[in-house]
Amino acid sequence: MADTLLIRALKSQPKQLTLCNKNLVKIPRAIGKLDCICQLQLKNNKIKKLPKELCHLFQLQVLNLGNNDLDEFSPILQHLHSLEKLHLFGNNISHIDSSSLNGFRSLTFLNLNGNKLKQLPPEICNLISIEHLSIDNNELIELPIEFCALTTLEEFHAAGNKLTSLPLEVGYLVSLEKLHLQRNRIRELPEGLGKCYNLRYVDVAANELRIFPTELSSLPLKELYCEENPLLQNMPVHSVQEEEVLSLKELSARYIMKELKDRWSYMRKAIRHYPDIRTMLAQSSKCAVCGDSFLNTWLECVKFVDAKEDLKLTSISGSIPVRALLCSYRCFNAAGHNYYGVAFP
């Protein structure tokens, strides 16, 4: 039946060809002669491998191979340089070879939902035009750092995996608007998430989160879903802590960072000759109470913000625990702030 449809297609030179639900085990090699088609629909078949003749479809923009029996991310796909949308959901793909992600210069949409992927290769960063990436319901434990180089990514789906964290460099996803991470095992969201200034939608329901990053309120969030997480509860207990003794390294770092605020300080010129120190100081934090910079986190606190009044959210009500970093117990003991120390069970 597929061969008959291809013969007819060769005569009419169509822009779109649909071979869905045909019980195909393989794609006829004659497909390579249809170099005129822009869309090829092959979902809901039993295809196990792709023929090399597929490489001849130079104008192909949309390829749907969802719900088949593919067990690999075929290297043949990288030769489809005009491809913009690729559907590979519902297959048996357990591995993506690092050499298979070259050549996707135009790919903006990739759906790998419902496969058996345990990891993504570092070469995922080769998807230089990707806007929508979906890998729901796989077996991913972590994401490579190189994932954060996808600066064109607008929507990311990774629900139903086994993720325990996100890369610290997630802030480099500057175009990210929607983040779907529900039903994972994530215990903490990185502080870098606060640098995703276009992020409007976040779903982290059914994870293991206790607190949110410090810059959550600076995001233009419209929707936040965080139910079924063991979030910190606002049950304050009075506590006064004694002054701590800072290390020489910490004292020096704080002195240098304070000097760097003075535009006339000699330190601003001298620091240029010490790149390692500049790199170290770049990892500093700012105290939520006094505003001074410090190197090491001395006290992690929590501030409870109102989802509707403070974050302007309509998708959730009540208070949200947001992380706050303090530079010393002196600031913690100071009066007039609404930061609480975190009690661990």
Side-chain angles (χ1 to χ4, degrees):
M1 181 181 295
D3 291 321
T4 302
L5 291 173
L6 284 178
I7 292 173
R8 293 176 182 174
L10 283 171
K11 295 179 181 180
S12 59
Q13 295 290 296
K15 293 294 183 181
Q16 179 175 339
L17 178 62
T18 299
L19 295 173
C20 302
N21 303 297
K22 303 297 183 183
N23 288 318
L24 294 178
V25 177
K26 62 181 181 179
I27 303 173
R29 292 185 176 182
I31 193 72
K33 297 180 180 180
L34 290 175
D35 55 2
C36 58
I37 62 172
C38 297
Q39 294 190 35
L40 179 56
Q41 301 288 337
L42 291 163
K43 67 178 181 180
N44 302 332
N45 283 290
K46 300 177 182 179
I47 300 169
K48 296 184 178 181
K49 289 190 177 182
L50 304 182
K52 62 181 181 179
E53 287 77 11
L54 202 65
C55 298
H56 299 152
L57 305 184
F58 302 116
Q59 299 186 56
L60 191 64
Q61 297 174 355
V62 179
L63 176 59
N64 192 336
L65 286 161
N67 292 333
N68 277 281
D69 292 330
L70 298 172
D71 59 5
E72 67 169 353
F73 189 99
S74 176
I76 291 173
L77 295 170
Q78 65 184 318
H79 298 290
L80 301 173
H81 298 311
S82 298
L83 199 62
E84 296 177 4
K85 293 186 178 182
L86 176 58
H87 297 270
L88 291 169
F89 60 87
N91 280 278
N92 299 310
I93 302 172
S94 60
H95 176 73
I96 299 178
D97 190 84
S98 59
S99 63
S100 298
L101 292 177
N102 299 314
F104 290 105
R105 296 188 296 266
S106 304
L107 193 68
T108 61
F109 182 102
L110 177 58
N111 185 341
L112 286 162
N113 293 346
N115 280 281
K116 299 178 180 179
L117 290 170
K118 291 182 170 57
Q119 62 181 4
L120 295 178
E123 289 74 15
I124 191 73
C125 63
N126 291 340
L127 304 180
I128 58 175
S129 300
I130 198 73
E131 296 175 0
H132 183 119
L133 177 59
S134 191
I135 48 175
D136 289 345
N137 302 315
N138 278 273
E139 301 173 15
L140 295 173
I141 298 175
E142 62 180 0
L143 298 173
I145 295 175
E146 291 80 3
F147 162 77
C148 300
L150 301 177
T151 55
T152 60
L153 186 64
E154 297 177 1
E155 188 166 343
F156 180 55
H157 295 250
N161 280 279
K162 300 177 182 179
L163 297 174
T164 58
S165 64
L166 296 180
L168 297 178
E169 296 80 4
V170 70
Y172 288 103
L173 298 173
V174 293
S175 300
L176 192 63
E177 297 180 5
K178 295 183 178 181
L179 182 61
H180 299 256
L181 295 170
Q182 61 270 31
R183 293 180 286 108
N184 276 282
R185 302 172 184 176
I186 299 173
R187 299 173 182 174
E188 184 175 348
L189 294 174
E191 288 295 314
L193 193 66
K195 304 298 182 183
C196 298
Y197 296 124
N198 291 304
L199 195 57
R200 298 182 290 105
Y201 180 105
V202 174
D203 191 341
V204 287
N207 276 278
E208 299 177 13
L209 294 172
R210 302 183 74 238
I211 195 170
F212 284 91
T214 58
E215 297 186 42
L216 181 72
S217 58
S218 67
L219 296 174
L221 283 179
K222 299 298 182 183
E223 295 181 69
L224 172 64
Y225 300 94
C226 56
E227 60 272 18
E228 296 184 54
N229 277 284
L231 296 174
L232 292 173
Q233 301 299 310
N234 189 357
M235 297 183 293
V237 176
H238 180 72
S239 174
V240 176
Q241 301 293 331
E242 296 182 359
E243 285 285 333
E244 69 285 346
V245 178
L246 302 180
S247 67
L248 181 59
K249 178 181 178 181
E250 182 68 26
L251 287 169
S252 301
R254 294 188 183 194
Y255 172 77
I256 293 173
M257 288 186 286
K258 188 173 183 179
E259 284 291 307
L260 291 176
K261 292 181 180 180
D262 183 358
R263 61 179 300 186
W264 305 111
S265 173
Y266 170 76
M267 196 74 70
R268 293 175 68 96
K269 295 181 180 180
I271 196 70
R272 300 172 186 172
H273 303 290
Y274 299 92
D276 291 342
I277 294 179
R278 293 205 312 270
T279 301
M280 178 182 68
L281 297 181
Q283 307 302 317
S284 64
S285 302
K286 183 178 289 187
C287 179
V289 174
C290 70
D292 288 343
S293 298
F294 59 96
L295 191 59
N296 294 318
T297 301
W298 283 93
L299 185 60
E300 181 177 279
C301 294
V302 60
K303 178 182 180 180
F304 292 92
V305 300
D306 189 273
K308 291 187 175 180
E309 293 185 9
D310 298 323
L311 300 178
K312 311 302 181 184
L313 296 173
T314 58
S315 60
I316 188 174
S317 60
S319 61
I320 302 292
V322 176
R323 182 183 293 107
L325 304 178
L326 274 60
C327 69
S328 65
Y329 284 123
R330 181 182 63 182
C331 287
F332 177 71
N333 293 329
H337 66 74
N338 54 355
Y339 300 107
Y340 300 92
V342 178
F344 295 96

